Amino acid sequence: FKCWNGVLTNRDLINELEKNNINLVFYPHYEMQPYIKEFQTVSPRIKIAEFKKYDVQTLLKESAFLVTDYSSIFFDFAYMQKPLAYYQFDFDKFTKEHYKQGYFDYNTAGFGPVFKTESELVEYLVKKITDGFAQDDCYKARCKDFFPLRDQNNCQRIYQKIIEQ
């Protein structure tokens, strides 16, 4: 809570949002939604989104940039070839208590940089606002490699594989 709320009240980020007429929508995971009233912001540019009022699919389609921690939602964003970053301030605790490292390593296979501190994340966000949310070349290449098929035939391919079984 403290780390995410720190981002929402970060003066450097708020100034950049206001200067560039950009809105930030903070959409906590559904398990955090009961605590949404605890999150604060001092800027009308930052919206704290309740799941009943915002559709996550619409947010994904309409958003220019995503910040997440470990949520698999980043796969959807990367598939759309949009830039993102991971804010993993609790990586050591999270991997010790909740998550065993699997095949996916955020640092070597992720579709955006991984940050452990608020200041690093905010510095990067300011940079991304300044460059119009351009996707860094190395992450663009990772997306292309990870999602080699970019057409409208995914459902057909899945259906065909099921039929072949």
Side-chain angles (χ1 to χ4, degrees):
F1 167 80
K2 288 179 182 178
C3 292
W4 284 112
N5 208 59
V7 173
L8 298 176
T9 58
N10 184 286
R11 185 46 54 196
D12 292 335
L13 179 58
I14 290 170
N15 288 342
E16 201 64 27
L17 294 172
E18 290 173 357
K19 183 170 87 175
N20 291 281
N21 197 30
I22 293 174
N23 291 324
L24 182 151
V25 179
F26 177 67
Y27 189 94
H29 190 272
Y30 72 91
E31 289 183 10
M32 289 297 294
Q33 286 285 327
Y35 310 102
I36 200 164
K37 300 286 188 218
E38 302 301 320
F39 290 97
Q40 302 295 315
T41 184
V42 294
S43 172
R45 292 265 159 224
I46 298 178
K47 313 293 182 206
I48 300 176
E50 295 180 53
F51 77 96
K52 291 178 184 175
K53 296 180 183 177
Y54 287 81
D55 174 60
V56 71
Q57 296 302 320
T58 301
L59 286 173
L60 287 171
K61 288 187 278 186
E62 295 178 352
S63 297
F65 194 88
L66 173 74
V67 178
T68 188
D69 48 10
Y70 309 96
S71 175
S72 62
I73 199 84
F74 72 84
F75 283 110
D76 298 288
F77 216 71
Y79 182 77
M80 293 185 286
Q81 299 176 319
K82 293 182 176 187
L84 61 95
Y86 305 95
Y87 185 34
Q88 297 179 345
F89 49 84
D90 61 346
F91 183 79
D92 294 334
K93 182 177 181 180
F94 186 75
T95 55
K96 183 178 179 184
E97 297 177 14
H98 301 287
Y99 173 80
K100 285 207 182 254
Q101 184 68 38
Y103 75 95
F104 192 86
D105 182 286
Y106 293 91
N107 291 296
T108 61
F111 306 115
V114 178
F115 299 103
K116 294 195 184 307
T117 68
E118 176 186 326
S119 61
E120 292 172 325
L121 173 64
V122 168
E123 182 180 326
Y124 187 74
L125 289 174
V126 167
K127 177 184 167 201
K128 291 288 98 188
I129 290 169
T130 303
D131 74 12
F133 300 107
Q135 189 175 34
D136 298 336
D137 288 341
C138 63
Y139 302 118
K140 193 181 291 187
R142 284 185 190 174
C143 288
K144 198 173 192 174
D145 289 344
F146 197 86
F147 302 107
L149 301 173
R150 305 251 343 129
D151 57 26
Q152 301 295 312
N153 301 318
N154 289 340
C155 290
Q156 181 62 34
R157 278 189 289 276
I158 292 169
Y159 173 76
Q160 204 58 46
K161 288 292 181 187
I162 292 171
I163 296 298
E164 292 171 8
Q165 297 295 329

